């Protein structure tokens, strides 16, 4: 069941979103050569908790950290640890904050030092594909309109869209209905309505769309070992379009 949020609930989600966005900014400031992913995760946790919130991901389905940190060919769900971030790495940070009964969820792809032109381009296309989807997100449109806009933008720029993982509804629970795929056909799926809150999150690969899950049962990597990018915001459908609740 899809729950439309009241103005009071949206305001609480706006606060959760602000904390989520702030945690991403804090993470971006410490990503540099030699820093471990665990150190980045620690900064994120401290930021979230210092603002009176809880990390949404910590303990979720057994996840052992406060953020998912995925490097280079890792698509999503990377577990923070002793791995050192190197010059030239692209670092995907996915963060959630639970505040006053509601969640915010957002992700960015950050650069460490001197990255390749391909890395810069895939991040740019991933980010811009989100906004292509956002542009059609309004009352009366369908989820498929958002999905198709993302897919069309990504594929027009020579990249592929990950199929196995999707965006989602969000609110009192981190994952709610409906699913928000990053591929599809216009005019299909759930109709968007004012008060609907969803996390839209393109995950795109430089090579083939196919992915595999590593033995840790969390980390998702590209099957061909090529780069992947991730960009996500929590949004609310408004009377005349959509508002980003996790805007940096």
């Amino acid at each position: 069941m899809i729950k439309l949020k009241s103005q009071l609930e949206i305001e609480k989600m706006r606060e959760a979103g602000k904390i989520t966005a702030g945690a991403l900014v804090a993470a971006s400031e410490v990503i540099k050569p030699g820093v471990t992913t665990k150190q980045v995760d620690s900064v994120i946790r401290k930021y979230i908790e210092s603002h009176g919130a809880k990390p949404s991901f910590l303990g979720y389905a057994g996840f052992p950290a406060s953020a998912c940190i995925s490097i280079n060919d890792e698509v999503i769900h990377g577990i923070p640890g002793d791995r050192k971030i190197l010059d030239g790495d692209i670092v995907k940070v996915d963060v959630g904050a639970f505040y006053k009964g509601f969640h915010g969820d957002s992700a960015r792809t950050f650069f460490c030092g001197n990255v390749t032109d391909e890395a810069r381009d895939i991040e740019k296309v991933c980010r811009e594909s989100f906004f292509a989807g956002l542009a059609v997100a309004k009352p009366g449109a369908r989820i498929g309109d958002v999905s198709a806009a993302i897919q069309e933008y990504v594929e027009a720029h020579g990249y592929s869209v990950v199929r196995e993982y999707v965006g989602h509804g969000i609110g009192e629970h981190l994952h709610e209905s409906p699913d928000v795929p990053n591929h599809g056909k216009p005019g299909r799926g759930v109709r968007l309505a004012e008060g609907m809150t969803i996390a839209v999150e393109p995950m795109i690969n430089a090579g083939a769309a196919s992915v595999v899950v590593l033995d840790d049962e969390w980390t998702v990597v590209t099957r061909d070992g090529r780069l992947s990018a991730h960009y996500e915001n929590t949004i609310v459908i408004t009377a005349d379009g959509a508002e980003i609740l996790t805007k940096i």
Side-chain angles (χ1 to χ4, degrees):
M1 183 181 76
I2 299 171
K3 180 184 176 183
L4 302 182
K5 310 305 190 293
S6 67
Q7 287 302 312
L8 178 59
E9 290 171 327
I10 291 169
E11 182 53 40
K12 290 179 180 179
M13 290 191 67
R14 193 175 282 115
E15 293 180 67
K18 184 176 181 180
I19 296 169
T20 303
L24 281 175
V25 172
S28 72
E29 293 171 348
V30 297
I31 291 175
K32 59 186 67 177
V35 173
T36 68
T37 54
K38 187 175 183 179
Q39 287 174 314
V40 178
D41 183 72
S42 177
V43 167
I44 289 168
R45 180 172 183 174
K46 287 177 181 177
Y47 182 92
I48 291 172
E49 292 180 342
S50 72
H51 286 76
K54 296 180 179 180
S56 298
F57 299 172
L58 186 60
Y60 184 82
F63 191 75
S66 298
C68 299
I69 303 178
S70 311
I71 297 176
N72 297 334
D73 65 327
E74 296 173 348
V75 183
I76 50 172
H77 300 164
I79 300 174
D82 295 329
R83 178 176 181 175
K84 291 184 178 180
I85 301 169
L86 304 177
D87 183 75
D89 283 344
I90 63 170
V91 185
K92 286 136 284 184
V93 181
D94 191 355
V95 172
F98 183 64
Y99 185 69
K100 294 184 179 179
F102 290 87
H103 293 272
D105 190 3
S106 186
R108 296 290 187 274
T109 297
F110 297 117
F111 303 136
C112 180
N114 300 301
V115 302
T116 64
D117 289 342
E118 180 182 55
R120 291 187 181 279
D121 190 62
I122 193 173
E123 185 280 330
K124 179 175 181 286
V125 171
C126 188
R127 170 168 36 90
E128 290 178 346
S129 74
F130 165 85
F131 287 98
L134 185 72
V136 298
K138 57 186 177 181
R142 293 186 180 273
I143 291 290
D145 299 330
V146 176
S147 304
I150 291 170
Q151 180 183 8
E152 180 180 350
Y153 192 90
V154 170
E155 294 179 349
H157 287 79
Y159 298 110
S160 60
V161 173
V162 172
R163 280 2 189 220
E164 291 89 340
Y165 300 90
V166 300
H168 51 90
I170 184 170
E172 293 174 276
H173 302 280
L174 182 59
H175 290 93
E176 300 181 350
S177 294
D179 285 347
V180 186
N182 297 304
H183 64 98
K185 295 182 178 180
R188 303 281 182 88
V190 172
R191 194 177 295 279
L192 301 178
E194 186 175 354
M196 187 180 294
T197 48
I198 55 177
V200 180
E201 52 176 320
M203 293 155 270
I204 74 173
N205 296 344
S210 56
V211 298
V212 293
V213 181
L214 297 184
D215 291 342
D216 63 17
E217 298 184 348
W218 279 104
T219 309
V220 179
V221 301
T222 59
R223 185 178 293 276
D224 58 14
R226 295 187 65 186
L227 293 178
S228 184
H230 185 198
Y231 189 93
E232 176 186 20
N233 279 305
T234 297
I235 70 170
V236 58
I237 304 302
T238 64
D240 54 359
E243 175 192 347
I244 297 174
L245 299 178
T246 49
K247 189 172 182 178
I248 293 177

